[in-house]
Short mmCIF file of all heavy atoms in Angstrom, two decimals:
data_model
loop_
_atom_site.label_atom_id
_atom_site.label_comp_id
_atom_site.label_asym_id
_atom_site.label_seq_id
_atom_site.Cartn_x
_atom_site.Cartn_y
_atom_site.Cartn_z
N PHE A 1 0.83 -1.21 0.00
CA PHE A 1 0.00 0.00 0.00
C PHE A 1 0.87 1.26 0.00
O PHE A 1 0.55 2.23 -0.69
CB PHE A 1 -0.96 0.00 1.20
CG PHE A 1 -1.97 -1.11 1.15
CD1 PHE A 1 -2.03 -2.06 2.17
CD2 PHE A 1 -2.85 -1.23 0.09
CE1 PHE A 1 -2.96 -3.09 2.12
CE2 PHE A 1 -3.77 -2.27 0.03
CZ PHE A 1 -3.82 -3.20 1.05
N LEU A 2 1.97 1.23 0.76
CA LEU A 2 2.87 2.39 0.79
C LEU A 2 3.45 2.64 -0.60
O LEU A 2 3.60 3.79 -1.02
CB LEU A 2 3.99 2.17 1.82
CG LEU A 2 3.54 2.06 3.29
CD1 LEU A 2 4.74 1.82 4.20
CD2 LEU A 2 2.78 3.30 3.74
N GLU A 3 3.76 1.55 -1.34
CA GLU A 3 4.26 1.69 -2.72
C GLU A 3 3.21 2.35 -3.61
O GLU A 3 3.52 3.16 -4.48
CB GLU A 3 4.61 0.31 -3.31
CG GLU A 3 5.81 -0.37 -2.67
CD GLU A 3 7.15 0.15 -3.17
OE1 GLU A 3 7.17 1.04 -4.05
OE2 GLU A 3 8.19 -0.32 -2.65
N LYS A 4 1.95 2.00 -3.40
CA LYS A 4 0.86 2.59 -4.19
C LYS A 4 0.74 4.09 -3.91
O LYS A 4 0.54 4.89 -4.82
CB LYS A 4 -0.48 1.89 -3.89
CG LYS A 4 -0.51 0.43 -4.29
CD LYS A 4 -0.46 0.27 -5.78
CE LYS A 4 -0.37 -1.17 -6.22
NZ LYS A 4 -0.11 -1.30 -7.65
N PHE A 5 0.86 4.46 -2.61
CA PHE A 5 0.82 5.90 -2.27
C PHE A 5 1.99 6.60 -2.95
O PHE A 5 1.85 7.72 -3.46
CB PHE A 5 0.91 6.12 -0.75
CG PHE A 5 -0.15 5.40 0.06
CD1 PHE A 5 0.07 5.09 1.40
CD2 PHE A 5 -1.36 5.02 -0.50
CE1 PHE A 5 -0.89 4.43 2.16
CE2 PHE A 5 -2.33 4.35 0.25
CZ PHE A 5 -2.08 4.05 1.58
N LYS A 6 3.14 5.92 -2.97
CA LYS A 6 4.34 6.50 -3.56
C LYS A 6 4.16 6.70 -5.08
O LYS A 6 4.59 7.70 -5.64
CB LYS A 6 5.55 5.59 -3.29
CG LYS A 6 6.88 6.24 -3.64
CD LYS A 6 8.05 5.34 -3.27
CE LYS A 6 9.36 6.02 -3.64
NZ LYS A 6 10.52 5.18 -3.31
N ASN A 7 3.50 5.72 -5.74
CA ASN A 7 3.22 5.85 -7.18
C ASN A 7 2.45 7.14 -7.47
O ASN A 7 2.74 7.86 -8.43
CB ASN A 7 2.37 4.67 -7.69
CG ASN A 7 3.16 3.37 -7.72
OD1 ASN A 7 4.38 3.37 -7.56
ND2 ASN A 7 2.47 2.27 -7.89
N ILE A 8 1.45 7.42 -6.61
CA ILE A 8 0.63 8.63 -6.79
C ILE A 8 1.49 9.88 -6.62
O ILE A 8 1.48 10.78 -7.46
CB ILE A 8 -0.55 8.64 -5.79
CG1 ILE A 8 -1.51 7.48 -6.08
CG2 ILE A 8 -1.29 9.97 -5.84
CD1 ILE A 8 -2.56 7.24 -5.00
N VAL A 9 2.27 9.91 -5.52
CA VAL A 9 3.10 11.09 -5.21
C VAL A 9 4.14 11.32 -6.31
O VAL A 9 4.36 12.46 -6.75
CB VAL A 9 3.77 10.92 -3.83
CG1 VAL A 9 4.80 12.02 -3.61
CG2 VAL A 9 2.72 10.96 -2.72
N GLU A 10 4.75 10.24 -6.79
CA GLU A 10 5.77 10.40 -7.83
C GLU A 10 5.17 10.89 -9.14
O GLU A 10 5.79 11.64 -9.88
CB GLU A 10 6.53 9.08 -8.04
CG GLU A 10 7.48 8.80 -6.89
CD GLU A 10 8.34 7.56 -7.11
OE1 GLU A 10 7.95 6.69 -7.93
OE2 GLU A 10 9.40 7.46 -6.46
N PHE A 11 3.91 10.47 -9.40
CA PHE A 11 3.28 10.93 -10.65
C PHE A 11 2.86 12.40 -10.57
O PHE A 11 2.75 13.06 -11.60
CB PHE A 11 2.10 10.03 -11.04
CG PHE A 11 1.82 10.10 -12.51
CD1 PHE A 11 2.64 9.46 -13.43
CD2 PHE A 11 0.75 10.84 -13.01
CE1 PHE A 11 2.41 9.55 -14.80
CE2 PHE A 11 0.51 10.94 -14.38
CZ PHE A 11 1.35 10.29 -15.27
N GLU A 12 2.67 12.91 -9.34
CA GLU A 12 2.38 14.35 -9.19
C GLU A 12 3.51 15.15 -9.83
O GLU A 12 3.27 16.17 -10.49
CB GLU A 12 2.31 14.72 -7.70
CG GLU A 12 1.11 14.18 -6.96
CD GLU A 12 1.23 14.40 -5.44
OE1 GLU A 12 2.10 15.18 -5.01
OE2 GLU A 12 0.45 13.78 -4.70
N ARG A 13 4.77 14.70 -9.61
CA ARG A 13 5.93 15.42 -10.14
C ARG A 13 5.95 15.37 -11.66
O ARG A 13 6.31 16.35 -12.32
CB ARG A 13 7.23 14.82 -9.58
CG ARG A 13 7.33 15.05 -8.09
CD ARG A 13 8.59 14.45 -7.47
NE ARG A 13 8.46 14.45 -6.02
CZ ARG A 13 8.76 13.42 -5.23
NH1 ARG A 13 9.23 12.30 -5.75
NH2 ARG A 13 8.60 13.51 -3.93
N VAL A 14 5.56 14.20 -12.21
CA VAL A 14 5.52 14.06 -13.68
C VAL A 14 4.51 15.04 -14.26
O VAL A 14 4.79 15.73 -15.25
CB VAL A 14 5.14 12.60 -14.06
CG1 VAL A 14 4.98 12.46 -15.57
CG2 VAL A 14 6.18 11.62 -13.54
N VAL A 15 3.34 15.12 -13.62
CA VAL A 15 2.28 16.03 -14.10
C VAL A 15 2.76 17.48 -14.01
O VAL A 15 2.63 18.26 -14.96
CB VAL A 15 0.98 15.84 -13.27
CG1 VAL A 15 -0.08 16.86 -13.68
CG2 VAL A 15 0.44 14.43 -13.45
N GLU A 16 3.34 17.83 -12.87
CA GLU A 16 3.79 19.21 -12.64
C GLU A 16 4.85 19.63 -13.67
O GLU A 16 4.87 20.78 -14.12
CB GLU A 16 4.38 19.31 -11.23
CG GLU A 16 4.34 20.71 -10.67
CD GLU A 16 4.66 20.74 -9.17
OE1 GLU A 16 5.00 19.68 -8.61
OE2 GLU A 16 4.58 21.83 -8.60
N ALA A 17 5.68 18.67 -14.07
CA ALA A 17 6.80 19.00 -14.99
C ALA A 17 6.36 19.09 -16.45
O ALA A 17 7.15 19.48 -17.31
CB ALA A 17 7.90 17.95 -14.85
N ALA A 18 5.11 18.71 -16.75
CA ALA A 18 4.68 18.71 -18.16
C ALA A 18 3.34 19.40 -18.33
O ALA A 18 2.33 18.78 -18.65
CB ALA A 18 4.58 17.26 -18.64
N PRO A 19 3.30 20.73 -18.11
CA PRO A 19 2.02 21.44 -18.21
C PRO A 19 1.39 21.29 -19.60
O PRO A 19 2.07 21.36 -20.62
CB PRO A 19 2.37 22.90 -17.91
CG PRO A 19 3.84 22.97 -17.77
CD PRO A 19 4.41 21.60 -17.74
N MET A 20 0.08 21.04 -19.60
CA MET A 20 -0.77 20.94 -20.81
C MET A 20 -0.35 19.79 -21.75
O MET A 20 -0.73 19.78 -22.91
CB MET A 20 -0.79 22.27 -21.59
CG MET A 20 -1.07 23.49 -20.73
SD MET A 20 -2.40 23.30 -19.53
CE MET A 20 -3.76 23.96 -20.43
N ASP A 21 0.42 18.82 -21.26
CA ASP A 21 0.82 17.67 -22.07
C ASP A 21 -0.34 16.66 -22.09
O ASP A 21 -0.73 16.15 -21.04
CB ASP A 21 2.09 17.03 -21.49
CG ASP A 21 2.59 15.87 -22.33
OD1 ASP A 21 1.78 15.02 -22.73
OD2 ASP A 21 3.83 15.80 -22.56
N ILE A 22 -0.87 16.40 -23.28
CA ILE A 22 -2.09 15.58 -23.39
C ILE A 22 -1.85 14.12 -22.98
O ILE A 22 -2.69 13.51 -22.32
CB ILE A 22 -2.67 15.65 -24.83
CG1 ILE A 22 -3.05 17.11 -25.16
CG2 ILE A 22 -3.89 14.75 -24.96
CD1 ILE A 22 -3.95 17.80 -24.16
N GLU A 23 -0.69 13.57 -23.33
CA GLU A 23 -0.40 12.18 -22.96
C GLU A 23 -0.27 12.04 -21.44
O GLU A 23 -0.75 11.06 -20.85
CB GLU A 23 0.88 11.66 -23.65
CG GLU A 23 0.66 11.28 -25.11
CD GLU A 23 -0.64 10.47 -25.35
OE1 GLU A 23 -0.79 9.42 -24.70
OE2 GLU A 23 -1.48 10.90 -26.15
N VAL A 24 0.37 13.02 -20.81
CA VAL A 24 0.49 12.99 -19.34
C VAL A 24 -0.90 13.13 -18.70
O VAL A 24 -1.22 12.45 -17.72
CB VAL A 24 1.44 14.13 -18.86
CG1 VAL A 24 1.36 14.30 -17.34
CG2 VAL A 24 2.88 13.81 -19.28
N LEU A 25 -1.73 13.99 -19.30
CA LEU A 25 -3.10 14.16 -18.80
C LEU A 25 -3.86 12.84 -18.86
O LEU A 25 -4.53 12.43 -17.91
CB LEU A 25 -3.83 15.23 -19.62
CG LEU A 25 -5.32 15.42 -19.34
CD1 LEU A 25 -5.56 15.85 -17.89
CD2 LEU A 25 -5.94 16.45 -20.29
N ARG A 26 -3.72 12.14 -20.00
CA ARG A 26 -4.41 10.85 -20.19
C ARG A 26 -3.97 9.86 -19.09
O ARG A 26 -4.79 9.16 -18.50
CB ARG A 26 -4.07 10.32 -21.58
CG ARG A 26 -5.08 9.33 -22.09
CD ARG A 26 -4.91 9.06 -23.57
NE ARG A 26 -5.89 9.81 -24.34
CZ ARG A 26 -5.63 10.50 -25.44
NH1 ARG A 26 -4.43 10.53 -25.91
NH2 ARG A 26 -6.58 11.16 -26.07
N GLU A 27 -2.66 9.81 -18.85
CA GLU A 27 -2.10 8.89 -17.86
C GLU A 27 -2.56 9.27 -16.44
O GLU A 27 -2.88 8.41 -15.63
CB GLU A 27 -0.56 8.93 -17.96
CG GLU A 27 0.16 7.74 -17.36
CD GLU A 27 -0.38 6.38 -17.81
OE1 GLU A 27 -0.61 6.16 -19.02
OE2 GLU A 27 -0.61 5.54 -16.92
N ALA A 28 -2.61 10.59 -16.18
CA ALA A 28 -3.06 11.06 -14.86
C ALA A 28 -4.51 10.68 -14.61
O ALA A 28 -4.88 10.29 -13.50
CB ALA A 28 -2.88 12.58 -14.75
N LYS A 29 -5.34 10.80 -15.65
CA LYS A 29 -6.76 10.44 -15.49
C LYS A 29 -6.89 8.94 -15.25
O LYS A 29 -7.73 8.50 -14.46
CB LYS A 29 -7.58 10.85 -16.73
CG LYS A 29 -7.70 12.34 -16.98
CD LYS A 29 -8.16 13.13 -15.76
CE LYS A 29 -9.61 12.90 -15.40
NZ LYS A 29 -10.02 13.72 -14.23
N ARG A 30 -6.04 8.14 -15.91
CA ARG A 30 -6.08 6.69 -15.69
C ARG A 30 -5.69 6.35 -14.26
O ARG A 30 -6.16 5.37 -13.69
CB ARG A 30 -5.14 5.96 -16.65
CG ARG A 30 -5.75 5.75 -18.02
CD ARG A 30 -4.98 4.73 -18.82
NE ARG A 30 -5.08 3.40 -18.24
CZ ARG A 30 -4.51 2.31 -18.77
NH1 ARG A 30 -3.81 2.40 -19.87
NH2 ARG A 30 -4.63 1.14 -18.20
N MET A 31 -4.80 7.17 -13.68
CA MET A 31 -4.38 6.90 -12.30
C MET A 31 -5.38 7.46 -11.29
O MET A 31 -5.23 7.26 -10.09
CB MET A 31 -2.99 7.50 -12.05
CG MET A 31 -2.31 6.86 -10.87
SD MET A 31 -0.70 7.54 -10.52
CE MET A 31 0.34 6.26 -11.15
N GLY A 32 -6.41 8.16 -11.77
CA GLY A 32 -7.45 8.63 -10.87
C GLY A 32 -7.31 10.06 -10.40
O GLY A 32 -8.01 10.51 -9.50
N PHE A 33 -6.37 10.83 -10.99
CA PHE A 33 -6.21 12.24 -10.61
C PHE A 33 -7.47 13.02 -11.02
O PHE A 33 -8.04 12.77 -12.08
CB PHE A 33 -4.99 12.84 -11.32
CG PHE A 33 -3.66 12.53 -10.68
CD1 PHE A 33 -3.31 11.23 -10.38
CD2 PHE A 33 -2.76 13.54 -10.40
CE1 PHE A 33 -2.08 10.93 -9.80
CE2 PHE A 33 -1.52 13.26 -9.82
CZ PHE A 33 -1.19 11.95 -9.51
N SER A 34 -7.86 14.00 -10.22
CA SER A 34 -9.04 14.80 -10.55
C SER A 34 -8.63 15.99 -11.42
O SER A 34 -7.49 16.45 -11.37
CB SER A 34 -9.69 15.32 -9.27
OG SER A 34 -8.78 16.17 -8.59
N ASP A 35 -9.59 16.48 -12.20
CA ASP A 35 -9.36 17.69 -13.01
C ASP A 35 -8.89 18.84 -12.11
O ASP A 35 -8.00 19.61 -12.47
CB ASP A 35 -10.66 18.12 -13.72
CG ASP A 35 -10.97 17.24 -14.91
OD1 ASP A 35 -10.18 16.31 -15.17
OD2 ASP A 35 -12.00 17.46 -15.57
N LYS A 36 -9.51 18.93 -10.93
CA LYS A 36 -9.22 20.03 -10.02
C LYS A 36 -7.75 20.01 -9.59
O LYS A 36 -7.07 21.04 -9.62
CB LYS A 36 -10.13 19.93 -8.79
CG LYS A 36 -10.03 21.11 -7.84
CD LYS A 36 -11.04 20.95 -6.72
CE LYS A 36 -10.90 22.03 -5.67
NZ LYS A 36 -11.83 21.81 -4.55
N PHE A 37 -7.25 18.81 -9.23
CA PHE A 37 -5.86 18.71 -8.74
C PHE A 37 -4.86 18.93 -9.88
O PHE A 37 -3.86 19.62 -9.71
CB PHE A 37 -5.62 17.37 -8.05
CG PHE A 37 -4.27 17.29 -7.36
CD1 PHE A 37 -4.04 17.98 -6.18
CD2 PHE A 37 -3.22 16.57 -7.92
CE1 PHE A 37 -2.81 17.94 -5.56
CE2 PHE A 37 -1.98 16.53 -7.30
CZ PHE A 37 -1.77 17.22 -6.11
N ILE A 38 -5.15 18.36 -11.06
CA ILE A 38 -4.24 18.57 -12.20
C ILE A 38 -4.22 20.07 -12.52
O ILE A 38 -3.16 20.65 -12.78
CB ILE A 38 -4.70 17.75 -13.44
CG1 ILE A 38 -4.71 16.26 -13.12
CG2 ILE A 38 -3.78 18.00 -14.63
CD1 ILE A 38 -5.39 15.38 -14.17
N GLY A 39 -5.40 20.69 -12.47
CA GLY A 39 -5.50 22.13 -12.71
C GLY A 39 -4.66 22.93 -11.72
O GLY A 39 -4.00 23.90 -12.11
N GLN A 40 -4.67 22.51 -10.45
CA GLN A 40 -3.86 23.20 -9.43
C GLN A 40 -2.37 23.10 -9.78
O GLN A 40 -1.62 24.07 -9.64
CB GLN A 40 -4.10 22.59 -8.05
CG GLN A 40 -5.42 23.04 -7.41
CD GLN A 40 -5.74 22.28 -6.13
OE1 GLN A 40 -4.91 21.54 -5.60
NE2 GLN A 40 -6.96 22.45 -5.64
N LEU A 41 -1.94 21.91 -10.25
CA LEU A 41 -0.52 21.72 -10.59
C LEU A 41 -0.15 22.55 -11.82
O LEU A 41 0.99 23.00 -11.96
CB LEU A 41 -0.23 20.24 -10.85
CG LEU A 41 -0.32 19.29 -9.65
CD1 LEU A 41 -0.09 17.85 -10.08
CD2 LEU A 41 0.68 19.65 -8.56
N TRP A 42 -1.11 22.74 -12.72
CA TRP A 42 -0.83 23.45 -13.98
C TRP A 42 -1.25 24.92 -13.95
O TRP A 42 -1.08 25.64 -14.94
CB TRP A 42 -1.53 22.74 -15.15
CG TRP A 42 -0.89 21.43 -15.52
CD1 TRP A 42 0.27 20.91 -15.01
CD2 TRP A 42 -1.36 20.48 -16.49
NE1 TRP A 42 0.55 19.69 -15.59
CE2 TRP A 42 -0.44 19.41 -16.50
CE3 TRP A 42 -2.46 20.43 -17.33
CZ2 TRP A 42 -0.58 18.29 -17.33
CZ3 TRP A 42 -2.62 19.32 -18.16
CH2 TRP A 42 -1.69 18.26 -18.16
#
């Protein structure tokens, strides 16, 4: 479970580093990220 939490946290950095990247957005949605949180990062 701790590894799963880590997967989420590590992907936050990927999202933050690639603003408006459609492929990253697709992957973030598959991982369950909300529009609101992705929007906050971008």
